[in-house]
């Protein structure tokens, strides 16, 4: 990644003529400082000022831009909702806004499927699905602002999506545009033939890699182990084991590729039935170790959400105007909290799940008894604590410091040791 360039060191804006010409309306090509600075930050701590901001109007225009950029060696990056936390949506090259003109949503089969353009937000899609009793599988907490393009390109998930309901698992088909401008629609029965004809090197390369992976038992075992977990680091190379059709394989490599392989022009998802019966508990443990060691048993009960919060989180949460009662009335030292939630289609099923969860919790060393609640207000308080944490911690940080956020994934039985190890590292190196 190029070094950060702030407004103080703003270089002159520039777009190669062929790239600018690929945009039909010159008003949608901007090298003005005000536009470039406005797009310099996403939700991460990186600041990269683009050389220019292009606003693409449709798939053909993106194809023309990519073709021209490839020919001239220009670096382009897609920007959609701009809520990425690791700098994926920022660049010191050319930024292409692919949100504004890509908002289409088409509900199919009474909501069982939905075809979406990449600029629609998750919330907008779910608002169209709710009346049919369905929702999208991926459920990032940023759903109000993040878009399908970003969800696909980051393989975003959320508090309840797990590894079964992410884009990789719920994608039915995808239309994508390659750097050469070639458009592939995986719903087309001739997609593989089209890919082989238009992109023979890519087609052969995919098959060669697939054979190499499949022929190596160590590679197969590593991929199976790594992708059993919620692993979104790097390319989704599990696609080499899961798909035989090169077009489908490529579509699944594009998921999680952070915009580096292709432009996602349209996606058809298999949706997930809405489970409207929900019950939530906020359990406070004596320490983080106890809380994380409770997780495997709770995972086995089929919990939809298990969110761990450490003593610092509890301390921050106690300062909220409406802190949940479970975390009030004590000075946190080592305590940790677990937000546990079950989802069901019917009240009876929900009661059964809550009974199982309560049984597990009854055997755990809790600070006080934890109770499941279907009460909307009690649930909202618990969720407000969880969802408000990052913004509050980041907002309250000392001047000149940075809030760092990275996802890590470890097998559930190793979580307790990982958390303890991380705490030790933070202490040793002076991180709050
Ligand atoms: C408060 C907050 C909470 C969050 N919670 C979660 C969470 O629970 N789970 C989670 O996974 N993430 C979460 N995120 C991170 C982020 O919101 C998600 O990854 C989100 O899906 C990014 O979508 P976006 O539209 O903002 O994409 P952007 O940030 O604009 O782009 C993301 C990446 O996708 C590429 N891209 C965008 N559109 C396309 C396209 N059409 N074709 C190809 N590539 C494209 C971009 O180049 C970039 O690499 C959170 C972020 C914030 C700020």
């Amino acid at each position: 990644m190029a070094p950060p360039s702030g407004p103080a060191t703003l270089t002159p804006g520039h777009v190669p003529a062929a790239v600018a010409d690929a945009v039909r309306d010159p008003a949608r090509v901007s090298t003005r400082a005000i536009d470039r600075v406005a797009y310099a930050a996403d939700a991460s701590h990186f600041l990269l000022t683009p050389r220019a901001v292009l606003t693409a109007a449709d798939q053909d225009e993106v194809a023309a831009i990519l073709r021209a950029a490839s020919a001239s060696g220009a670096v382009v990056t897609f920007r959609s909702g701009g809520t990425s936390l690791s700098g994926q949506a920022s660049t010191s090259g050319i930024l292409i806004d692919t949100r504004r003109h890509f908002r289409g949503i088409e509900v199919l089969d009474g909501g069982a499927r939905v075809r979406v353009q990449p600029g629609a937000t998750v919330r907008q899609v779910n608002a169209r699905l709710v009346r049919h009793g369905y929702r999208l599988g991926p459920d990032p907490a940023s759903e109000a602002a993040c878009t399908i393009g970003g969800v696909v390109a980051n393989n975003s998930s959320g508090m309840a999506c797990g590894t079964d309901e992410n884009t990789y698992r719920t994608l039915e088909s995808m239309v994508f545009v390659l750097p050469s401008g070639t458009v592939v629609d995986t719903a087309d029965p001739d997609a593989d033939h089209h890919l082989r004809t238009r992109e023979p090197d890519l087609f052969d390369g995919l098959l060669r890699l697939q054979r190499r992976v499949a022929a190596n038992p160590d590679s197969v075992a590593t991929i199976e182990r790594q992708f059993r977990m919620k692993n979104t680091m790097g390319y989704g190379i599990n696609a080499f084991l899961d798909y035989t059709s090169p077009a489908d394989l490529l579509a699944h490599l594009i998921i999680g590729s952070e915009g580096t392989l292709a432009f996602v022009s349209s996606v058809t998802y298999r949706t997930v039935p809405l489970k409207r019966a929900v019950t939530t508990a906020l359990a406070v443990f004596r320490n983080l170790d106890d809380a994380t060691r409770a997780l495997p048993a709770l995972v086995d009960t089929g919990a939809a959400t298990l969110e761990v919060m450490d003593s610092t989180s509890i301390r921050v949460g106690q300062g909220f105007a409406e802190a949940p009662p479970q975390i009030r009335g004590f000075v946190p030292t080592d305590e940790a909290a677990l937000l546990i939630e079950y989802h069901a289609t019917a009240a009876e099923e929900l009661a059964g799940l809550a009974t199982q969860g309560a049984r597990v919790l009854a055997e755990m060393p809790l600070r006080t008894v934890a109770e499941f609640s279907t009460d909307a207000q009690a649930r909202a308080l618990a969720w407000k604590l969880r969802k408000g944490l990052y913004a509050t911690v980041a907002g309250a940080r000392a001047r000149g410091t940075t809030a760092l956020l990275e996802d890590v994934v470890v097998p559930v039985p190793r979580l307790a040791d990982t958390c303890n190890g991380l705490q030790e590292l933070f202490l040793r190196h002076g991180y709050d």
Side-chain angles (χ1 to χ4, degrees):
M1 189 175 282
S5 62
T9 59
L10 203 61
T11 51
H14 173 69
V15 196
V19 177
D21 289 348
V23 182
R24 294 190 297 272
D25 179 355
R28 288 190 276 101
V29 178
S30 177
T31 52
R32 295 190 320 157
I34 192 167
D35 293 328
R36 294 166 56 208
V37 170
Y39 279 91
D42 55 12
S44 70
H45 52 272
F46 294 103
L47 184 72
L48 293 170
T49 309
R51 297 182 73 86
V53 178
L54 315 185
T55 305
D58 54 32
Q59 174 183 287
D60 288 348
E61 202 164 76
V62 175
I65 295 169
L66 291 183
R67 231 181 345 258
S70 300
S72 61
V75 172
V76 295
T77 298
F78 305 116
R79 163 70 63 88
S80 205
T83 65
S84 280
L85 296 165
S86 307
Q88 300 96 308
S90 295
T91 182
S92 52
I94 296 168
L95 198 69
I96 311 176
D97 181 323
T98 50
R99 181 178 65 98
R100 194 169 305 171
H101 297 289
F102 295 86
R103 305 287 185 101
I105 302 170
E106 199 182 337
V107 175
L108 307 167
D109 297 343
R113 300 184 304 133
V114 65
R115 184 175 301 131
V116 198
Q117 287 190 324
T121 64
V122 170
R123 181 174 286 185
Q124 286 164 346
V125 180
N126 282 337
R128 294 284 303 279
L129 289 170
V130 67
R131 73 192 76 152
H132 302 282
Y134 291 93
R135 65 168 173 84
L136 285 172
D139 60 344
S142 49
E143 45 91 36
C146 77
T147 66
I148 298 304
V151 167
V152 173
N154 284 350
N155 197 15
S156 308
S157 49
M159 313 263 183
C161 150
T163 50
D164 294 332
E165 294 180 353
N166 57 19
T167 300
Y168 188 91
R169 297 284 170 212
T170 59
L171 179 84
E172 183 178 275
S173 65
M174 183 192 288
V175 182
F176 55 86
V177 183
L178 293 167
S180 59
T182 296
V183 178
V184 178
D185 179 357
T186 65
D188 178 350
D190 286 333
D192 283 328
H193 176 71
H194 176 66
L195 185 63
R196 183 167 54 193
T197 313
R198 298 295 303 266
E199 306 279 342
D201 291 347
L202 176 60
F203 187 90
D204 290 344
L206 285 168
L207 288 180
R208 218 173 24 252
L209 277 173
Q210 189 182 42
R211 279 195 295 270
R212 199 171 104 187
V213 171
N216 183 333
D218 287 345
S219 297
V220 172
T222 303
I223 291 172
E224 284 176 348
R225 187 179 65 249
Q226 294 291 359
F227 286 90
R228 250 196 306 274
M229 299 182 290
K230 194 172 175 178
N231 181 359
T232 57
M233 297 298 156
Y235 291 112
I237 53 172
N238 47 333
F240 285 111
L241 300 183
D242 295 341
Y243 294 92
T244 46
S245 140
D248 279 334
L249 196 170
L250 185 52
H252 285 82
L253 281 173
I254 289 167
I255 297 170
S257 68
E258 299 182 358
T260 56
L261 296 181
F263 170 66
V264 176
S265 176
S266 163
V267 195
T268 303
Y269 276 100
R270 289 183 296 276
T271 56
V272 175
L274 265 180
K275 293 186 173 179
R276 295 180 197 266
V278 181
T279 189
T280 310
L282 188 63
V284 181
F285 291 73
R286 288 178 317 198
N287 55 49
L288 188 61
D289 198 46
D290 286 348
T292 45
R293 288 190 198 287
L295 288 173
L298 288 165
V299 168
D300 287 346
T301 61
T305 297
L306 288 166
E307 291 282 327
V308 184
M309 288 164 275
D310 65 2
S311 57
T312 309
S313 308
I314 294 176
R315 201 165 29 251
V316 171
Q318 286 180 336
F320 285 14
E322 292 178 301
Q326 297 91 326
I327 62 158
R328 277 194 251 135
F330 66 97
V331 178
T333 48
D334 294 329
E335 288 79 358
L338 255 188
L339 179 70
I340 309 154
E341 193 163 274
Y342 292 99
H343 299 171
T345 37
E348 215 170 60
E349 183 195 350
L350 189 71
L353 288 167
T355 305
Q356 285 185 52
R359 211 173 281 146
V360 171
L361 289 177
E363 291 173 14
M364 299 291 165
L366 299 182
R367 213 186 149 268
T368 51
V369 177
E371 284 174 4
F372 282 93
S373 173
T374 54
D375 176 66
Q377 205 178 350
R379 293 188 47 244
L381 282 189
W383 273 108
K384 226 170 167 179
L385 167 70
R386 171 61 191 88
K387 289 193 176 177
L389 274 180
Y390 180 65
T392 308
V393 171
R397 71 187 188 275
R399 251 179 96 86
T401 63
T402 300
L404 298 177
L405 192 149
E406 267 310 329
D407 289 349
V408 289
V409 56
V410 295
V412 173
R414 305 258 291 275
L415 187 60
D417 291 341
T418 306
C419 288
N420 289 333
L422 280 172
Q423 298 278 21
E424 268 175 47
L425 281 174
F426 292 152
L427 267 179
R428 196 181 321 149
H429 297 285
Y431 283 84
D432 284 339

